[in-house]
Amino acid sequence: PDTSAHGLGVFAGRATARTTLDYTFTSPMDFSTIPNAGVVLTFADSDMNTPFTVTLGDGLNTATGTAFTGGTPGTYYVAFDDLTGTVDFTSIDTLQVVINSNPGALPGTDYVLTEVKI
């Protein structure tokens, strides 16, 4: 991985690559009152239809959503309303992003993730 000022870049060549970003909030966050809330990922590069998964946790339960980059750079949004699972949005303590969760199915993909935000 390239963690330069330009973002997190994975250049896999012919190999396989998977990236997991784990965020833990110092104190639980209340996302329940944010209108149209979701997780936004910005990719400066993506050369394949790379899958990514977003998971929110509240210490007991999780909610997960999956999307794809479409093989082009851009900003991708996973709405909280589209997550599967039961999580308390008033008490979120973890956020996980997994890119290319099954690298055996999509080897040699390159991507540069420049932003993750709520």
Side-chain angles (χ1 to χ4, degrees), residues 90-116:
T90 67
S91 188
I92 299 298
D93 61 5
T94 59
L95 165 64
Q96 181 183 70
V97 176
V98 178
I99 304 169
N100 200 20
S101 59
N102 183 3
L106 192 59
T109 186
D110 299 332
Y111 47 87
V112 177
L113 179 65
T114 57
E115 182 176 46
V116 176

Side-chain angles (χ1 to χ4, degrees), residues 59-113:
L60 296 173
N61 300 300
T62 60
T64 302
T66 299
F68 296 84
T69 65
T72 59
T75 300
Y76 299 90
Y77 175 71
V78 178
F80 287 171
D81 290 344
D82 294 336
L83 300 179
T84 302
T86 304
V87 69
D88 181 359
F89 285 103
T90 67
S91 188
I92 299 298
D93 61 5
T94 59
L95 165 64
Q96 181 183 70
V97 176
V98 178
I99 304 169
N100 200 20
S101 59
N102 183 3
L106 192 59
T109 186
D110 299 332
Y111 47 87
V112 177
L113 179 65

